[in-house]
Amino acid sequence: MTELYSSTPSAPSRRTTLRAAGGGTLLLGLGLAGCRSAVSEAEAPAAKAGAGPRRGGIVTVAVNSDFTPSLLFAQSGQSLQQRLIYNTLTRYDDRLKPQPELATSWEYAEDGRGITLKLRTGVTFHDGRPFTADDVIFAVKNLQNPLRAAQLRATAAAVTGFEKRGDHELVLRLAHPVNNLFDLFEFMVITDRNSVEDAVTGKKLNGTGPFKLTKWSPGSGLSLTRNETYWQPDRPYLDGVELRVVPQADALLSSLRTGQSQLSFSVPGKNLAVVAATPELAISQYTTGGGAYYLGVNTTVAPLNDKTVRQALARAVDRERILKQVLGGYGLASATPWPTSSPAFTEAGRTHYTYDPGKARELLKSAGHTRLDLPLLHINLPGDTAVAEAIQYDLQQIGVQVTLQPTDPATAQKNLISQKMPGLWAMSHGFAQVQPSTLAVSAYPFNEAKNTSKFRSAAYTKVVREAWTTPATGARANALRQQITDTLLDEAFIIDLVIRGAVQVSAKKLHGVTLNKFSYLNLDDAYLAG
C-alpha cells in the first residue's frame, strides 16, 4: 500500500483548554473533556482579532529537571527539547495516521517485510552538512546499539537490511512484519552520525531541527537560537528558546505568573487552581497524548512474588482521590495503561480495580499477611512526591507500611532501565498512546523480554510478540490486545493509577505550541503576540 503526502506539516496534537463560565479554568477528568485541534480556546482571542504569527522573541520554558545527555535516545521526563534540536522521519496526527517530516512519502512491501522511504531534499544539519539516507541508516543502527538507552530498540532491531537508491530514497528490510514502525519513526531523532559521542555527553547536539544549541549549563538549562537555514520556509518564528530548570514548585509557579517563563508542563496538580486564577495564563491538556502514573512492583522481592499480594495493592489505592486531590482533576483514574484514544481501551479494564481496602485486606490475609514493610522509590519533585505520599497513605490503611525513598529524576530513570528498583516504586510511563504493541515490546516497565519488575511469563511473551507482528486492525488484533490487558490486570506487576496527558501552562500571548506523541516539544509554528 502506498501513502503519499505533501510536505506541509499536519495540524498539532489535540489539545483542550477548559474554562469555567467566569473565565477561570474548570478542572475536569480526561474522560469528560472535549478535544479540538489547531487552535485552543487560549489562542482564540488572537485568532478572532485577526492577529497573525509574528517573528521574534525568546520563549522561556520552565522545566523541573535538567537535560540528561546519556538519555538522549530514550523517552523520559528529560526529552522535551528533542524536537527543538532534531527532526524525526514522520509524526502522527490525532488518529495515529503518520504525516511527513524528513520522510515525505512511503510504500510498504506487499509482504509487510519492507518499506521504501522517500526523503526530503534540501535539508542540512546545523553544521551545514546535507541530510541523506546515510543519516537514517545511522539513526536505526544507533538505536540497535545496546549501549544506547532506547525503548524502541526491538522495533529498530527488526530492521535487518538497507538499500539506498540515491541520497534521498531508502528501502528498509524487516526480519518480520511489525505494526509499530511509525512509532519508531516518530520516536527516533535524526542526529549527526559524526558527532554522536559528543551528543551523549552534552558537548554537541547537531540536528536538522528549528533551533540550534548555543549553551548547556548543567543544573540551569539549555539555550537555543533559531536555525536560519531550517528546511521549513519562514520557520521558526521565534528567535530562540530557553529551557530553564526550576525544580521548586513555588518558584516555577512564580516564574510563570510574573512572566519570567511563558511555558511549562511541570506545574504540580495542586498548583493548577492558582494558575486558573491568573488572567495572563491558560491551562491546556493533550488528551490524546501519553502519560500515566503507576505503582511498580519488583516481583523478585518476597512477598511481592505472590500475585495475590500485588492484587491487594492494586485494590488498596484510591485512584479517584489521587486524580482530584493530587493532580488537580486532570486525567482519568484507570487500572489499565490505555488512554481513551487507544484501540486497547475498555471501560471494563479501566474500572477493574476499584478502591476497596476491605477486599485488599482480605487478599493480604489469604496470602498469609496482616502487615508488610516495604520501601517505595519516587522522584524527588513536588508532583511525584505528592503521588507517592498518597500511595503511602492508602497502603498504610491495609497494613502495608511504606518507607519513601526520594530519588533525583536521572537516577530514577537509570534505575528503571537497569532493573535496580526496590520492592515498590512510583513513577509515570508513556508508550500507551501509540500502537498498543509498543507498550509491551518497548516500555521499560512492561517489556515482555526484560522489564523493571523482573516479571517473566512465556504466555505474556507469546501474546505480545503475536500482537506486535499482526496487522493493527481487525478482530485478531483486538483479541490480542485484550489478552495483553487481561495479563497486566491479573499479574499486577505494574499497577496503573491515573492516565494523564501532558498539562500545559502557558502565557496567553504564546500561540502555536504542540507536542508529538512522545511529548517532544514542537515550536515550529509558535509565536508571541503582543
Side-chain angles (χ1 to χ4, degrees):
M1 180 177 68
T2 305
E3 300 184 63
L4 298 175
Y5 298 93
S6 72
S7 60
T8 304
S10 64
S13 300
R14 287 188 179 180
R15 182 175 61 194
T16 175
T17 301
L18 309 172
R19 295 185 179 280
T25 301
L26 180 64
L27 303 183
L28 295 176
L30 182 61
L32 302 177
C35 303
R36 61 190 300 181
S37 295
V39 180
S40 75
E41 292 180 27
E43 296 166 342
K48 290 177 181 177
R54 301 182 183 181
R55 293 188 68 83
I58 295 175
V59 164
T60 298
V61 186
V63 297
N64 59 12
S65 57
D66 197 11
F67 168 57
T68 306
S70 62
L71 298 177
L72 180 64
F73 301 107
Q75 195 278 331
S76 71
Q78 291 81 48
S79 299
L80 201 62
Q81 76 289 325
Q82 302 289 68
R83 181 50 180 71
L84 301 177
I85 300 170
Y86 302 104
N87 288 117
T88 57
L89 287 176
T90 60
R91 60 173 173 166
Y92 283 125
D93 64 15
D94 292 335
R95 296 173 181 81
L96 287 184
K97 185 174 182 178
Q99 305 294 322
E101 195 155 303
L102 291 184
T104 58
S105 64
W106 41 88
E107 182 176 359
Y108 262 111
E110 290 286 339
D111 62 1
R113 296 183 62 172
I115 190 169
T116 301
L117 302 173
K118 291 191 176 179
L119 305 175
R120 193 174 300 279
T121 59
V123 177
T124 60
F125 283 87
H126 296 159
D127 64 359
R129 184 176 66 79
F131 160 74
T132 70
D134 287 323
D135 296 300
V136 179
I137 294 171
F138 171 78
V140 175
K141 290 183 176 180
N142 183 57
L143 293 193
Q144 293 173 344
N145 183 350
L147 296 179
R148 304 290 185 230
Q151 288 97 335
L152 275 136
R153 179 172 297 114
T155 304
V159 180
T160 54
F162 306 90
E163 179 188 339
K164 286 199 305 178
R165 297 175 178 174
D167 282 343
H168 295 95
E169 186 170 339
L170 177 66
V171 180
L172 303 181
R173 306 293 184 191
L174 305 176
H176 52 78
V178 296
N179 59 26
N180 68 338
L181 197 58
F182 285 93
D183 294 8
L184 173 69
F185 292 166
E186 181 159 349
F187 169 87
M188 182 177 68
V189 295
I190 305 299
T191 189
D192 174 33
R193 63 184 186 271
N194 297 324
S195 59
V196 66
E197 297 306 324
D198 285 337
V200 295
T201 58
K203 294 178 182 178
K204 183 178 182 181
L205 303 180
N206 185 26
T208 63
F211 297 95
K212 299 179 179 181
L213 176 68
T214 56
K215 184 179 181 181
W216 172 42
S217 302
S220 297
L222 300 168
S223 297
L224 311 174
T225 190
R226 179 169 54 217
N227 176 11
E228 299 291 352
T229 60
Y230 191 41
W231 54 267
Q232 287 202 59
D234 302 318
R235 300 293 191 278
Y237 296 119
L238 297 171
D239 290 334
V241 183
E242 297 282 336
L243 283 87
R244 179 177 169 223
V245 179
V246 190
Q248 297 82 16
D250 290 344
L252 188 150
L253 183 60
S254 176
S255 76
L256 289 163
R257 297 182 74 192
T258 59
Q260 294 176 338
S261 303
Q262 294 79 43
L263 178 65
S264 184
F265 300 90
S266 304
V267 177
K270 67 179 183 179
N271 295 122
L272 290 174
V274 177
V275 172
T278 304
E280 298 79 15
L281 298 176
I283 304 174
S284 307
Q285 68 173 325
Y286 291 77
T287 58
T288 58
Y293 284 97
Y294 72 94
L295 174 63
V297 186
N298 186 332
T299 63
T300 65
V301 175
L304 299 173
N305 56 335
D306 183 346
K307 75 176 181 181
T308 301
V309 175
R310 302 196 296 267
Q311 291 172 355
L313 302 183
R315 293 195 179 277
V317 181
D318 189 344
R319 293 169 174 81
E320 292 289 349
R321 182 173 68 87
I322 291 176
L323 171 62
K324 294 173 183 176
Q325 295 183 8
V326 179
L327 301 179
Y330 283 94
L332 181 68
S334 180
T336 62
W338 317 113
T340 55
S341 58
S342 171
F345 173 84
T346 65
E347 184 65 15
R350 183 185 80 82
T351 59
H352 181 83
Y353 285 118
T354 55
Y355 177 53
D356 190 342
K359 179 65 174 177
R361 282 190 289 267
E362 289 178 12
L363 287 170
L364 274 184
K365 187 175 180 181
S366 72
H369 309 285
T370 56
R371 176 188 169 108
L372 296 175
D373 292 274
L374 294 167
L376 187 149
L377 180 146
H378 67 91
I379 293 175
N380 61 354
L381 295 171
D384 298 83
T385 299
V387 171
E389 289 173 346
I391 295 170
Q392 179 188 45
Y393 174 84
D394 286 341
L395 295 186
Q396 284 175 342
Q397 309 315 302
I398 67 165
V400 179
Q401 305 302 314
V402 169
T403 302
L404 298 184
Q405 294 184 350
T407 308
D408 69 88
T411 300
Q413 184 74 7
K414 290 174 182 177
N415 287 350
L416 186 83
I417 295 169
S418 60
Q419 300 176 285
K420 293 181 180 178
M421 288 298 191
L424 301 175
W425 72 94
M427 289 180 67
S428 59
H429 71 75
F431 294 92
Q433 76 279 17
V434 284
Q435 293 298 338
S437 61
T438 293
L439 183 81
V441 296
S442 296
Y444 296 121
F446 297 89
N447 190 312
E448 54 80 21
K450 183 182 178 183
N451 55 69
T452 313
S453 297
K454 301 181 183 179
F455 170 80
R456 293 302 303 271
S457 160
Y460 182 52
T461 292
K462 182 176 183 296
V463 68
V464 166
R465 290 280 164 168
E466 189 172 352
W468 182 38
T469 57
T470 296
T473 58
R476 183 56 183 158
N478 290 336
L480 291 168
R481 287 192 285 260
Q482 187 59 54
Q483 288 181 48
I484 291 174
T485 299
D486 291 343
T487 300
L488 295 177
L489 290 170
D490 181 58
E491 295 292 348
F493 60 95
I494 294 296
I495 300 170
D496 270 283
L497 303 175
V498 177
I499 308 300
R500 193 174 193 254
V503 177
Q504 172 181 311
V505 174
S506 60
K508 289 182 179 177
K509 66 179 181 179
L510 176 62
H511 308 275
V513 177
T514 68
L515 296 174
N516 83 349
K517 285 293 182 180
F518 295 105
S519 294
Y520 300 167
L521 179 59
N522 185 333
L523 295 179
D524 283 19
D525 299 323
Y527 65 96
L528 293 163

